[in-house]
Each structure stands twice: as structure tokens, then as C-alpha cells.
Amino acid sequence: MRPARSTSRPRLAAVTALTAFIAVGTPAAAVGTPAAAVGTPAAAVGSTAGPGGAHHRPCVSSRYVPEGGPAADILRLAEQAKAEMDLKSVILRVTVDGRDVLTTALGESMTGVPADPAMHFRNGNIAISYLGTALLRLVDQGKAGLDDPVSSWLPDLPDAERITLRMLASSTTGLHDYVKSPGFQRAVVENPFRQWTPQELVAISTSRQPWYDPGTNWNYSHANFVLLGAALEKITGTRLDILLRRQIMGPLGLRETRNSFTPDIPTPVLHAFTADRGTYEESTFWNPSWTTAPGAVQTTDICDLARSASAIGSGELLSRSSYRELLNPGTVGLGHPTDKCPATACVAQTEATHYGMGVVVLDDWIAQHPLFFGYSASMDYLPSERLAIAVSTTQGPNAADGHSAHTIAQRIAAALAPDHPIPDFG
């Protein structure tokens, strides 16, 4: 991806100017929880202090929101979206060059309990961006090669001699997505507390003929990342949760991002609700073991999510060559329907919108946006402006299906960087 030449400097200059001084205006107590001032470094407002930064305090709302300017615009958009989409909560954080523009929480976690930026929520496929970056770090460290066949570590995988680490991380193996296999979603909904094993999940995908020969097309498959997690463990001899802590969370100071081998969530908890089973009910502790590799089933908070957006999106932990691979490991030009693979699975990968190595490239933005069990989140980074947007939402009883957090991120991007809209993908 080529960083686009910015034509939206006036708006973003206002954002940058906002972050240079302590703002005065309406106290955030009127719209959220009092906390550190807008304009202070991210470390003073959030949970980390930049690269390798130490944990200072829980993630908190910006103390003041000016009556005009970018922070007020973001707040207005969030309030409008919450009402329009019938969202129970909206938690967001926007930074420029790591400095806080706005951190706030709207609505409730559960009845009578206000949402708060320090609350933890499930981060779903955000962890897949960590898997991709962890693999590339191992490549930079000389411990693996992207085009190494996985047969050395996963000898029982069909086509293991032809499937490479690159293909797992870029989702070009041809494996079916077990999540879309007949009956799978019904099984999850009928017993949302079931503990799924990686062997069960991969077996669903490998029991069907591949969509295509490895590396010749593209389709999203959760099985690829379950297998990538297993391969990373074998390559390093380290349990995946520990490996990710050493390679990603530790170096980035993500102290509030952690794995759990159970459905538990550290307090304070952002509770989730869904009508997936026909009635609006709490889904906070439904079991997410099916979502990705054991050891990468994580929770986070909004400050860590914003930090991840900027760090992963800028390739902070990677060499230049690995950062290029992150953004396009060969997926551009792939994705075309065949007699075997329908257009709903084999989706066109263009220079403007394509899957990278655990991330989604959306024109000038690097993103991920999980959606499951009533949780929606979005992390988006614009490298040319060092603009990071992180949003987490939960559903109200009349909320429509869809990526509500990502929709809010798109609206924020349109307001702050109108010449760099975030397109839809897939």
C-alpha cells in the first residue's frame, strides 16, 4: 500500500493543534467520566506510554471536550450513532501521533452501570493482527521464513507440503471457513457455552475439499489462524499466549490486553447483549473458544485498542520489508469466483481493499473490525496522518445486525480526514 499524499491537511492540522495544548470548554463530566485533559500525551490519558511504555493508570475519559473542533465533532457523531443504531454503549478513543484527541464512553454496560473507557471487552480478530505481526517478527529474527511449508510443524495437515506460513497468515490456503460450514453457527447459538477445541474446528474445515489449490486464490477462513497459532507455538516452543505477550503486548505496553482460556473477562467488564437466539439477552460470557487459536482469545480496553491501531498499522515492531509484507503478502490480484468457490467466499482483493497478513487494508487505512456475541469493535490507522481510531460498541434491544463500531469509525474518519474515507470490504 502506498501512503497517499494528504489533501486534508487543514482539518488534521486542527486536530494536531488540539492535541498540543490542554483544551478548555465543556467538562467531560457532562458527557462521560472526568479524567486527564484532552491534549496530554496518550500515556497520561490511557494505559500505556508509547513504545515499551509502562502502565500508569486505568484508561479514562478525556477531562474536557471543547465546545467546537474535532473532539466535539467526534462526540456529536458518537452520540448520534448511539441513538440512531440503538446501541447500549459506545466507547471510543481517537489519537493523532499517539496524543489524545478524545477518549470517552457513552451509555451503559448494563442497567444502571455507566460504560467506562477502562472496561474490558472481547477483541476477536484484533488478535489476528497480532498473530500476523508476531510471525513477521519471527521472520525478522531469522526463526522462520514466510515461504516455509508448514509440514515441518503441522505434518498432519492435508497439503502441508504445499501450504506455507505466508498462506496461513494471508488466508490463501483454500481451506473452508468452519464458521460458515452448514450447522456451525446453529451449534454455537444452541450451546453458546460450549468449549471448542482447535482439533474440532480445523477438522470441520479439512473435512471438505479445498476451495482451490494453495496460494492461487483468496477466501477468509478462521481455520487458517487456528493453524497459524499452532505453527507459531511449534516454531518457538512457546505457548501462544506467552509468545504474543513477549512479541506483541510486552513491547507495545498493552497491559490491559490478555488471553483467557476460559470465557472470563477481567473487571471492569463491558457487558454485551444480543438477540441472536431470538430474544434480547446477555451474551457477555458466552464462550469465544471458536473464534481463533487458543492463546489468542483475548480481551482488551479502548486505550490498548487505539495503541494497537497505531502500532500494528505503522509496523512499529517490524522491519521495512516485513511491514511491506504485512500490507500485501501477495493477496492483491487474488480473489475470484470459480466453479468450486463462489463469489461470496472468494472475494476480489484489489490494491484499494485487500487482506494483508492479519490486517485489512482499506485504501489508505489499516484496520480490523471484529463482530460477534453482541460485541462490535474497530481499529483503524491512517499512516500518512498518524491518525488512530478505536471504537467499541454493544447492542441495544432494537439494534440491527452489522459492524456498528466500524460504521462509527468510518464516520469519524470522514469528519477528520474527509479525503481519506474508510471503504467497506467484502
Side-chain angles (χ1 to χ4, degrees), residues 106-125:
L106 307 174
E108 295 181 319
S109 170
M110 53 184 175
T111 304
V113 179
D116 188 275
M119 287 179 168
H120 299 98
F121 50 88
R122 302 201 186 280
N123 69 354
N125 61 21

Side-chain angles (χ1 to χ4, degrees), residues 86-109:
D86 189 38
L87 302 176
K88 193 167 187 66
S89 70
V90 176
I91 303 177
L92 63 84
R93 178 167 170 80
V94 177
T95 66
V96 173
D97 203 15
R99 300 179 70 86
D100 183 63
V101 177
L102 181 68
T103 303
T104 194
L106 307 174
E108 295 181 319
S109 170

Side-chain angles (χ1 to χ4, degrees), residues 253-301:
L254 303 179
R255 303 294 181 89
E256 299 303 321
T257 302
R258 50 181 75 93
N259 168 75
S260 178
F261 291 107
T262 76
D264 197 18
I265 300 176
T267 56
V269 178
L270 179 66
H271 287 249
F273 302 82
T274 184
D276 285 352
R277 302 202 301 175
T279 186
Y280 184 67
E281 62 183 331
E282 177 158 2
S283 52
T284 309
F285 298 105
W286 288 6
N287 196 321
S289 56
W290 57 270
T291 56
T292 191
V297 181
Q298 298 178 337
T299 55
T300 192
D301 71 7

Side-chain angles (χ1 to χ4, degrees), residues 42-94:
V45 179
S47 59
T48 62
H55 184 278
H56 287 286
R57 64 179 70 179
C59 186
V60 293
S61 292
S62 306
R63 180 178 296 163
Y64 293 107
V65 178
E67 294 180 355
D73 291 344
I74 296 166
L75 181 59
R76 174 181 51 81
L77 287 169
E79 291 172 333
Q80 289 176 346
K82 179 181 178 299
E84 171 193 329
M85 301 180 194
D86 189 38
L87 302 176
K88 193 167 187 66
S89 70
V90 176
I91 303 177
L92 63 84
R93 178 167 170 80
V94 177

Side-chain angles (χ1 to χ4, degrees), residues 34-328:
V38 175
T40 52
V45 179
S47 59
T48 62
H55 184 278
H56 287 286
R57 64 179 70 179
C59 186
V60 293
S61 292
S62 306
R63 180 178 296 163
Y64 293 107
V65 178
E67 294 180 355
D73 291 344
I74 296 166
L75 181 59
R76 174 181 51 81
L77 287 169
E79 291 172 333
Q80 289 176 346
K82 179 181 178 299
E84 171 193 329
M85 301 180 194
D86 189 38
L87 302 176
K88 193 167 187 66
S89 70
V90 176
I91 303 177
L92 63 84
R93 178 167 170 80
V94 177
T95 66
V96 173
D97 203 15
R99 300 179 70 86
D100 183 63
V101 177
L102 181 68
T103 303
T104 194
L106 307 174
E108 295 181 319
S109 170
M110 53 184 175
T111 304
V113 179
D116 188 275
M119 287 179 168
H120 299 98
F121 50 88
R122 302 201 186 280
N123 69 354
N125 61 21
I126 303 298
I128 290 175
S129 72
Y130 302 156
L131 290 175
T133 293
L135 170 61
L136 289 167
R137 279 176 63 79
L138 294 180
V139 171
D140 284 341
Q141 294 160 11
K143 297 178 180 178
L146 287 180
D147 296 314
D148 291 346
V150 301
S151 53
S152 298
W153 308 290
L154 306 174
D156 296 329
L157 177 68
D159 273 337
E161 291 286 350
R162 297 200 296 159
I163 292 174
T164 65
L165 294 172
R166 179 193 301 273
M167 294 173 193
L168 289 178
S170 62
S171 208
T172 58
T173 62
L175 288 172
H176 283 247
D177 186 1
Y178 58 79
V179 170
K180 294 184 178 180
S181 293
F184 182 81
Q185 293 184 36
R186 184 176 65 251
V188 170
V189 168
E190 288 177 351
N191 184 8
F193 301 103
R194 174 176 173 176
Q195 180 77 21
W196 293 83
T197 69
Q199 292 81 9
E200 288 175 316
L201 298 171
V202 171
I204 296 171
S205 293
T206 57
S207 67
R208 306 179 68 183
Q209 286 296 312
W211 285 125
Y212 48 83
D213 289 336
T216 63
N217 208 333
W218 184 91
N219 73 288
Y220 190 86
S221 175
H222 287 72
N224 290 321
F225 304 105
V226 176
L227 291 164
L228 178 59
L232 293 177
E233 288 188 330
K234 292 291 184 66
I235 291 167
T236 61
T238 305
R239 205 174 68 186
L240 185 60
D241 60 316
I242 298 171
L243 174 66
L244 292 178
R245 189 166 67 243
R246 290 174 179 172
Q247 293 285 347
I248 308 296
M249 280 86 79
L252 296 181
L254 303 179
R255 303 294 181 89
E256 299 303 321
T257 302
R258 50 181 75 93
N259 168 75
S260 178
F261 291 107
T262 76
D264 197 18
I265 300 176
T267 56
V269 178
L270 179 66
H271 287 249
F273 302 82
T274 184
D276 285 352
R277 302 202 301 175
T279 186
Y280 184 67
E281 62 183 331
E282 177 158 2
S283 52
T284 309
F285 298 105
W286 288 6
N287 196 321
S289 56
W290 57 270
T291 56
T292 191
V297 181
Q298 298 178 337
T299 55
T300 192
D301 71 7
I302 202 67
C303 287
D304 273 13
L305 188 60
R307 173 80 177 108
S308 296
S310 60
I312 300 297
S314 67
E316 183 177 304
L317 297 175
L318 301 176
S319 66
R320 290 185 179 182
S321 60
S322 284
Y323 183 54
R324 288 193 295 269
E325 296 283 7
L326 178 81
L327 301 186
N328 179 18

